[in-house]
Amino acid sequence: MASMLFQLPVTVLAGNRDCGHDSYIVDAYLDPNTWTATYSHQYKKGNGVNGPIYGTCYVTACYGNRYPQCAVCGDVDYSHPHQVVLYNDHANCGVGIIYY
């Protein structure tokens, strides 16, 4: 008796696969909700007659949360957030915007 092979389509919904979520990728999903914090640091503007001249640079840091996401079905594990800095914007020290 000849055996029959069945071909299944590759694009099957995760709900039909009963995924099990064994394929989480750390920090794969970035939550679109972000928040900012401001801090300052000193920087050298130049040299004066009596020594260096310093200025104050105000930095805006943008933060967000990244979460593990399943590579198979796309499920996001919201119970394990990882806070990350998305970028820092230095106002006047010359560094500019640093993306992470």
Side-chain angles (χ1 to χ4, degrees), residues 50-61:
N50 296 321
I53 300 171
Y54 293 97
T56 302
C57 178
Y58 296 96
V59 181
T60 301

Side-chain angles (χ1 to χ4, degrees), residues 23-73:
S23 301
Y24 278 108
I25 299 172
V26 176
D27 291 350
Y29 175 75
L30 174 62
D31 188 332
N33 298 310
T34 60
W35 65 95
T36 59
T38 303
Y39 65 93
S40 63
H41 68 85
Q42 299 294 310
Y43 70 99
K44 185 176 177 181
K45 291 173 75 171
N47 291 313
V49 176
N50 296 321
I53 300 171
Y54 293 97
T56 302
C57 178
Y58 296 96
V59 181
T60 301
C62 182
Y63 296 92
N65 281 326
R66 287 192 173 276
Y67 298 90
Q69 186 173 26
C70 181
V72 175
C73 71

